[in-house]
């Protein structure tokens, strides 16, 4: 649906949005009217280089032609049916994911926070059924972000973040330990603990990867204490890190892993994969979803994941991401550049992030901001070195302009 179809001006669309929408996001000041590959196009046809990818969603490119074709084909057959009958897209997608990840079982949902809710519920039910009603405690990392529903929000290790302020008391049974510090995790283990839940790469926490030593020690701690290991790969999964799943870079296999974002290519779908033994915690009627496993979303996800795998976009993310990281280290006032593959955080040594983000927008580059100092880059995984050169040049100019403004204010 475009402006011409509804005979509205850009100003009228923005006014309608402001009047009727409950706004919790800072909007880019344009109407996204179409998209293709590495670009979004506004109502005037101007192209914006997309280095936010719908927040790590459009990994095989905006409006990937095979995903679009799969959606169009499936819509003509059946759009929705709930999970009583079998459907072809759901069965094929389940096989593709389980075989690719070498996991036993899968359960589909619609969003990342739903996937994490399911993972938390499965771990707790497994603990209660196998060890008793006290066995429900889960340790997560400080700086983590697991979602905005109550269980996932409570698992999020950012008690001073806006996602938790005003919503307390949170769900009990969670403790937070320092990321990349196994001693702190060990200190938080009690007789009630059933699991440790981690993002292999913290996204909203500032794009911080787990160290190999930490992951090895966490796996050993889980084995020693008989704990489940849960990985949240909602953002870092499906080739973004340079591996099919980020945990594969560490040679560690979780008991349950959550996923979302990139797997649907723009359609809302998520899932958890679990071992055979742990998956038994979900018995008939113990968990459910109306839209999870929707045939259209499953068809889109099947096409998207095939594209990611067949085109080796994990390999491209690793190669191009390394190239981009090395360039970004030369930005003005850069403190640190970190991440894996094409999940990159640029931390500045001054609070210029907001000005850099808007400076990039003015120069037709779309990026996201974490806090005051960190720019996050999560572009489609089809990004080329030429795309990176263009993005770097814009970031350099935006950062230089932002530091000049700060210098004029006596802050840098």
């Amino acid at each position: 649906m475009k402006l011409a179809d509804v005979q509205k001006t850009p100003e009228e669309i923005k006014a309608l949005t402001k009047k009727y929408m409950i706004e919790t996001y800072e909007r880019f000041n344009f109407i996204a009217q179409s998209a293709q590959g590495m670009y979004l196009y506004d109502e005037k046809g101007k192209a914006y280089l997309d280095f936010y990818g719908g927040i790590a969603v459009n990994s095989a490119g905006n409006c990937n032609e095979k995903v679009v074709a799969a959606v169009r084909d499936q819509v003509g057959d059946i759009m929705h049916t709930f999970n009583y009958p079998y459907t072809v897209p759901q069965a094929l997608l389940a096989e593709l994911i389980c075989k690719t990840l070498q996991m036993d079982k899968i359960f589909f949902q619609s969003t990342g926070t739903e996937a994490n809710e399911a993972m938390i519920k499965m771990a707790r039910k497994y603990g209660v059924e196998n060890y008793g009603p006290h066995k429900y405690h889960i340790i997560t990392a400080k700086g983590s972000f697991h979602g905005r529903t109550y269980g996932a929000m409570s698992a999020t290790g950012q008690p001073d973040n806006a996602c938790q302020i005003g919503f307390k008391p949170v769900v009990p049974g969670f403790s937070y330990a320092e990321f990349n510090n196994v001693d702190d995790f060990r200190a938080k283990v009690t007789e009630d603990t059933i699991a440790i839940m981690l993002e292999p790469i913290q996204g909203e926490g500032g794009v911080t990867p787990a160290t190999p030593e930490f992951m090895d020690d966490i796996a050993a701690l889980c084995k020693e204490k008989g704990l489940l290991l849960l990985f949240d790969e909602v953002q870092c999964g499906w080739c973004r890190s340079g591996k099919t799943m980020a945990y594969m870079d560490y040679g560690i296999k979780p008991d349950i892993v959550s996923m979302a974002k990139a797997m649907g290519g723009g359609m809302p779908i998520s899932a958890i994969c679990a071992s055979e033994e742990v998956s038994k915690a979900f018995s008939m009627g113990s968990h459910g979803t109306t839209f999870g496993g929707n045939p259209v979303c499953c068809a889109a996800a099947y096409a998207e994941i095939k594209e990611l795998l067949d085109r080796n976009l994990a390999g491209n993310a690793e190669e191009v991401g390394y190239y981009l990281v090395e360039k970004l280290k030369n930005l003005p006032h850069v403190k640190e550049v970190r991440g894996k593959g094409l999940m990159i955080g640029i931390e500045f040594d001054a609070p210029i992030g907001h000005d850099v983000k808007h400076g990039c927008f003015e120069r037709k580059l779309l990026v996201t901001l974490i806090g005051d100092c960190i720019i996050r880059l999560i572009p489609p995984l089809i990004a080329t070195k030429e795309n990176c050169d263009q993005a770097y040049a814009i970031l350099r100019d935006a950062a230089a302009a932002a530091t000049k403004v700060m210098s004029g204010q006596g802050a840098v």
Side-chain angles (χ1 to χ4, degrees), residues 304-322:
E304 171 81 359
I305 290 173
K306 288 286 288 181
E307 281 284 88
L308 295 174
L309 299 176
D310 292 348
R311 295 171 62 180
N312 189 26
L313 292 184
N316 187 66
E318 184 173 35
E319 179 183 351
V320 174
Y322 178 81

Side-chain angles (χ1 to χ4, degrees), residues 113 117 120 144-159 162-171 174 176:
T113 193
E117 287 281 348
I120 291 165
S144 62
F145 182 84
H146 298 295
R148 297 183 183 274
T149 49
Y150 256 94
M153 179 191 73
S154 301
T156 294
Q158 300 189 59
C163 73
Q164 288 190 7
I165 293 174
F167 299 112
K168 296 180 180 178
V170 297
V171 175
F174 293 97
Y176 313 132

Side-chain angles (χ1 to χ4, degrees), residues 380-406:
L381 304 184
I382 61 171
T384 64
K385 292 179 179 178
E386 290 73 21
N387 295 142
C388 293
D389 290 341
Q390 183 182 356
Y392 170 76
I394 293 173
L395 280 159
R396 180 194 60 210
D397 293 346
T403 54
K404 286 180 182 177
V405 171
M406 291 292 287

Side-chain angles (χ1 to χ4, degrees), residues 214-235:
F214 171 70
M215 291 291 261
D216 286 344
D217 289 343
I218 285 292
L221 176 61
C222 288
K223 185 175 181 180
E224 174 191 342
K225 299 292 185 179
L227 307 178
L228 300 180
L229 181 55
L230 319 179
F231 284 150
D232 172 355
E233 296 233 13
V234 166
Q235 186 172 148

Side-chain angles (χ1 to χ4, degrees), residues 12 17 51 58 60 62 79 90 143 159 174 186 204 206 214 219 256-257 259 261 272 278-279 335 342 361 387 404:
E12 288 173 323
T17 302
F51 264 64
N58 303 317
N62 288 289
M79 292 179 65
Q90 188 180 95
F174 293 97
R186 179 179 289 277
E204 302 296 328
F214 171 70
I256 316 174
V257 58
M259 61 198 76
K261 290 188 180 287
I272 57 169
V278 177
S279 72
K335 178 181 178 181
L342 281 170
F361 176 75
N387 295 142
K404 286 180 182 177

Side-chain angles (χ1 to χ4, degrees), residues 94-311:
E95 178 190 39
L96 175 62
I97 292 176
C98 287
K99 283 189 172 181
T100 299
L101 305 188
Q102 296 185 341
M103 298 292 281
D104 298 321
K105 296 288 187 177
I106 191 166
F107 190 97
F108 293 113
Q109 289 105 161
S110 299
T111 67
T113 193
E114 288 178 83
N116 283 332
E117 287 281 348
M119 183 159 65
I120 291 165
K121 289 176 68 176
M122 180 176 283
R124 285 188 164 186
K125 194 163 185 286
Y126 177 84
V128 168
E129 290 182 343
N130 287 275
Y131 302 103
H134 66 287
K135 202 75 169 179
Y136 62 86
H137 176 242
I138 297 174
I139 307 169
T140 67
K142 294 177 181 178
S144 62
F145 182 84
H146 298 295
R148 297 183 183 274
T149 49
Y150 256 94
M153 179 191 73
S154 301
T156 294
Q158 300 189 59
D160 297 323
N161 189 291
C163 73
Q164 288 190 7
I165 293 174
F167 299 112
K168 296 180 180 178
V170 297
V171 175
F174 293 97
S175 295
Y176 313 132
E178 184 180 348
F179 192 55
N180 281 328
N181 182 343
V182 72
D183 291 334
D184 198 20
F185 274 83
R186 179 179 289 277
K188 298 296 193 304
V189 175
T190 73
E191 63 179 12
D192 298 335
T193 305
I194 185 58
I196 290 175
M197 179 175 174
L198 295 170
E199 300 161 280
I201 307 172
Q202 289 192 336
E204 302 296 328
V207 193
T208 305
T211 66
E213 297 80 12
F214 171 70
M215 291 291 261
D216 286 344
D217 289 343
I218 285 292
L221 176 61
C222 288
K223 185 175 181 180
E224 174 191 342
K225 299 292 185 179
L227 307 178
L228 300 180
L229 181 55
L230 319 179
F231 284 150
D232 172 355
E233 296 233 13
V234 166
Q235 186 172 148
C236 63
W238 288 114
C239 302
R240 179 150 300 277
S241 70
K243 303 296 181 190
T244 303
M245 301 297 279
Y247 71 78
M248 294 177 176
D249 201 30
Y250 300 94
I252 296 169
K253 187 176 180 180
D255 295 288
I256 316 174
V257 58
S258 64
M259 61 198 76
K261 290 188 180 287
M263 67 182 288
M267 295 297 287
I269 186 170
S270 65
I272 57 169
C273 276
S275 68
E276 179 86 36
E277 176 62 25
V278 177
S279 72
K280 292 176 183 176
F282 274 6
S283 54
M284 199 70 66
S286 63
H287 192 61
T289 168
T290 297
F291 292 103
N294 172 280
V296 178
C297 294
C298 284
Y302 186 82
E304 171 81 359
I305 290 173
K306 288 286 288 181
E307 281 284 88
L308 295 174
L309 299 176
D310 292 348
R311 295 171 62 180

